[in-house]
Amino acid sequence: MEETIEQLLSHLTEGYFLMQVFVIWGLYLTGVIFLYIIRERMPHSWALLLGFPMGISLWVLGGFFLLIVGIPLHPATIGMLVLLGAVLAGIWRNTYYHMRQILDKDWKNKWKLLKLFCFGSVLVFAGTILAVSGLLRVSISNDSVYYYSMYPMILVEKGRLLPVFDSFLTDAGQGTAVLGTLPFFFGFEQSFGIQRFLGLNFLLIFVLAVYEEALKCLSRKKALIVTAMSSLFLATSAPFIIMEKWMMSNHYMMVFLFLVFYLAWRGQGEGKKSIDFHIASGIFAAVLSTLRMEGGMILCFLILCISLLTYGNK
């Protein structure tokens, strides 16, 4: 038994296994807190499921801003920038007043929210352990090595952009490169686990989105059947499997494209009640524009499409 425990501990600490878990959970927690700061009527389930993508977005946008203005890139400076943004968002949204209103209505809401958060945290830890365990396969190309290793490593070492950087790639993939700095800042060598966890997170987001849309025109039982079939089709489809395990920005583009357009779609016709969905969609759109060279062009097309939706309050 003692030998088995020693082998288990050795495996868990090898390659900073636990550090990957803590970083992913930290991104999730940061995103959830920010979403509750801007929350108006967003369901708790959506706030918890969007926590990790929002955490990634805050890290990417914070790091991207620091590189642009020439402030040294470091977790502390990114953290202070995110904290400043959260405080300003809280002042703008009058978060304290809204939270007091919600919690004062019914004491049970506090315990219900706490139970939901604890359940979500357990799922995050379980999903994170699966994502970083090495059980899920990954595919790596030449571009993966540059974006996931060399370029982010130089950004961490120098803390800023340099004239000697490849100008084409520097302009094309800042968001991906900033996200790739996480392993080098926290010492776990690669960001495969982050991408794999985002894929698992995306599947749950897709399940909830399909279920909510199906409930609008079907009974609960039929909605569950449609959701199960649609989710199974997505999880087993070749395009999703290839993009989900390929260590490139393509996977992030796929996820953020869906989030930007679906959240804009979900918020149509609800007026000011959906402002939290609109804010989240806007932040995800900003990240989308930094992930690839064509991100800005795709975002312009999405803005054109979204502008054609029918909103109760434009």
Side-chain angles (χ1 to χ4, degrees):
M1 176 62 72
E2 182 178 353
E3 183 179 349
T4 302
I5 294 176
E6 289 179 354
Q7 291 178 351
L8 176 61
L9 291 176
S10 176
H11 175 69
L12 291 177
T13 55
E14 183 179 0
Y16 291 86
F17 180 95
L18 290 179
M19 184 59 73
Q20 297 181 64
V21 175
F22 293 144
V23 167
I24 292 175
W25 196 83
L27 290 173
Y28 162 77
L29 183 61
T30 301
V32 169
I33 292 174
F34 185 82
L35 284 168
Y36 271 96
I37 289 175
I38 66 172
R39 180 177 176 269
E40 181 73 27
R41 297 190 181 182
M42 179 184 288
H44 296 302
S45 54
W46 274 106
L48 295 178
L49 283 178
L50 294 176
F52 185 64
M54 182 58 69
I56 288 179
S57 300
L58 296 176
W59 176 269
V60 168
L61 294 179
F64 185 55
F65 176 80
L66 294 178
L67 291 176
I68 291 176
V69 301
I71 300 175
L73 185 67
H74 191 272
T77 53
I78 295 177
M80 288 188 291
L81 187 61
V82 171
L83 179 61
L84 176 61
V87 171
L88 293 177
I91 295 174
W92 173 57
R93 297 292 295 129
N94 200 2
T95 301
Y96 177 77
Y97 173 75
H98 286 299
M99 289 300 295
R100 283 294 301 273
Q101 275 192 324
I102 293 172
L103 295 178
D104 288 344
K105 287 181 181 178
D106 189 353
W107 276 88
K108 293 182 180 179
N109 286 338
K110 298 179 181 179
W111 300 112
K112 182 180 180 181
L113 179 58
L114 180 60
K115 290 178 181 179
L116 186 61
F117 176 75
C118 291
F119 177 72
S121 298
V122 171
L123 286 181
V124 169
F125 268 114
T128 303
I129 292 175
L130 175 62
V132 305
S133 64
L135 296 176
L136 303 177
R137 294 183 178 180
V138 298
S139 298
I140 302 176
S141 64
N142 291 334
D143 290 340
S144 302
V145 175
Y146 184 80
Y147 274 114
Y148 280 81
S149 298
M150 300 304 296
Y151 188 16
M153 183 173 61
I154 297 172
L155 287 178
V156 171
E157 182 179 349
K158 301 299 182 180
R160 58 189 177 90
L161 297 175
L162 298 177
V164 296
F165 283 174
D166 186 312
S167 59
F168 174 76
L169 290 174
T170 300
D171 293 337
Q174 288 293 291
T176 309
V178 171
L179 184 60
T181 61
L182 281 168
F184 299 102
F185 274 130
F186 297 100
F188 50 89
E189 298 180 358
Q190 42 77 18
S191 57
F192 301 161
I194 295 174
Q195 179 168 322
R196 299 318 301 264
F197 181 78
L198 181 63
L200 298 174
N201 193 172
F202 174 69
L203 283 176
L204 293 179
I205 292 173
F206 182 80
V207 167
L208 180 59
V210 172
Y211 179 67
E212 287 189 345
E213 295 300 322
L215 273 181
K216 295 179 181 179
C217 54
L218 299 173
S219 65
R220 185 182 182 88
K221 183 177 180 180
K222 291 182 178 179
L224 287 173
I225 295 175
V226 169
T227 301
M229 293 178 61
S230 301
S231 303
L232 181 62
F233 177 78
L234 173 67
T236 57
S237 63
F240 176 78
I241 294 175
I242 293 173
M243 289 295 99
E244 202 274 336
K245 70 177 182 178
W246 190 13
M247 294 299 120
M248 276 288 287
S249 57
N250 304 49
H251 175 69
Y252 295 101
M253 287 289 290
M254 175 182 70
V255 173
F256 280 88
L257 272 171
F258 177 86
L259 292 177
V260 170
F261 199 80
Y262 180 73
L263 294 182
W265 165 266
R266 196 185 188 287
Q268 69 169 341
E270 295 187 13
K272 293 183 178 180
K273 292 188 295 183
S274 61
I275 189 171
D276 40 21
F277 281 105
H278 296 324
I279 295 174
S281 179
I283 293 175
F284 293 147
V287 174
L288 179 67
S289 68
T290 70
L291 294 176
R292 287 182 61 90
M293 175 181 62
E294 66 273 21
M297 185 179 299
I298 293 175
L299 180 59
C300 290
F301 177 72
L302 279 179
I303 292 174
L304 176 62
C305 295
I306 291 172
S307 67
L308 300 178
L309 297 174
T310 302
Y311 287 93
N313 188 330
K314 292 189 178 182

